[in-house]
Amino acid sequence: EDQVTQSPEALRLQEGESSSLNCSYTVSGLRGLFWYRQDPGKGPEFLFTLYSAGEEKEKERLKATLTKKESFLHITAPKPEDSATYLCAVLFSGGYNKLIFGAGTRLAVHP
Amino acid sequence: AAGVIQSPRHLIKEKRETATLKCYPIPRHDTVYWYQQGPGQDPQFLISFYEKMQSDKGSIPDRFSAQQFSDYHSELNMSSLELGDSALYFCASSLGTGADTQYFGPGTRLTVL
């Protein structure tokens, strides 16, 4: 069964404490993996798209990496404004163009 | 940069009523997607349109229908509303139907009483 699993479910960090979020996927024929940030009651905000194993993308304090089985979102020296839910989603062969989302990681960064 | 526009942002309906949600994609985007997100849930794909034709269908109830118009905006029509339809409804748009990034709108919060 095509599945996307994110861990941990929730993460509490102190400001400046770096960490990584994990997204593992079991889909047939990955076409793209997407990271979004979602604040409560708002729409998912696009962060990164990764298409092939070994690819890396970076933006400010965030860096996304992709292997054949999982993706990591690394957060370096986070700030309280990085607090949000981070969603991972995939497009896969046979899934046409619908995104399959993981359950998300709720990140809280405390001063 | 222009983003996806959704209206209304909030909607309150009674059971068995109908509702229409509207979505205006990013300019030049030709593909529109609808997702439903229940409380504490991840977004679930409902339906998508490419060049005004339905391109994919997910877990959309038969009570719901949608279409994409000539100006590429889309409408999600929901009839015989049930309490369980209360959720955030997101529209997303992309350029093409490949593995292109889907950009999400701010959502419509539907509450069914």
Side-chain angles (χ1 to χ4, degrees):
Chain A
E1 182 187 351
D2 301 302
Q3 199 167 344
V4 179
T5 304
Q6 290 188 246
S7 62
E9 287 185 16
L11 181 62
R12 179 189 170 115
L13 298 174
Q14 289 298 122
E15 185 171 2
E17 180 186 1
S18 302
S19 188
S20 297
L21 314 182
N22 177 264
C23 170
S24 63
Y25 58 91
T26 52
V27 298
S28 49
L30 181 74
R31 293 167 52 215
L33 186 142
F34 305 83
W35 281 99
Y36 291 88
R37 168 195 169 126
Q38 186 175 29
D39 293 299
K42 298 193 175 180
E45 175 189 343
F46 169 70
L47 294 174
F48 302 109
T49 303
L50 302 166
Y51 290 112
S52 55
E55 192 174 357
E56 297 184 353
K57 294 274 180 73
E58 202 165 347
K59 176 183 174 182
E60 296 181 352
R61 295 179 293 281
L62 300 176
K63 179 179 177 180
T65 62
L66 180 65
T67 72
K68 288 187 178 179
K69 293 184 179 180
E70 59 191 349
S71 175
F72 290 95
L73 184 65
H74 307 278
I75 304 177
T76 303
K79 298 181 177 181
E81 53 261 42
D82 294 322
S83 298
T85 294
Y86 290 85
L87 295 167
C88 169
V90 302
L91 284 177
F92 61 99
S93 302
Y96 199 59
N97 57 359
K98 63 184 175 205
L99 286 172
I100 304 297
F101 282 86
T105 293
R106 284 179 285 109
L107 173 66
V109 182
H110 296 269
Chain B
V4 176
I5 297 172
Q6 291 188 246
S7 67
R9 296 293 311 280
H10 301 273
L11 192 57
I12 300 175
K13 292 286 184 179
E14 299 281 337
K15 278 196 313 184
R16 292 180 288 278
E17 286 191 322
T18 62
T20 297
L21 279 55
K22 297 185 179 182
C23 168
Y24 298 85
I26 291 171
R28 296 192 302 113
H29 281 194
D30 50 15
T31 309
V32 169
Y33 314 79
W34 286 96
Y35 291 83
Q36 177 191 57
Q37 187 175 32
Q41 308 279 318
D42 53 281
Q44 296 292 313
F45 173 79
L46 293 178
I47 196 166
S48 63
F49 292 87
Y50 167 66
E51 286 289 345
K52 292 149 281 184
M53 298 282 289
Q54 181 182 308
S55 56
D56 199 3
K57 194 171 181 180
S59 49
I60 183 169
D62 292 340
R63 300 177 288 107
F64 295 6
S65 65
Q67 57 182 328
Q68 185 180 32
F69 295 85
S70 57
D71 64 350
Y72 295 104
H73 94 272
S74 177
E75 294 184 3
L76 178 65
N77 299 292
M78 311 160 72
S79 62
S80 302
L81 287 169
E82 302 173 356
L83 296 178
D85 296 328
S86 296
L88 272 168
Y89 290 83
F90 293 111
C91 171
S93 73
S94 72
L95 183 61
T97 60
D100 301 277
T101 298
Q102 297 180 24
Y103 295 90
F104 284 76
T108 294
R109 180 176 294 279
L110 173 67
T111 302
V112 182
L113 302 175

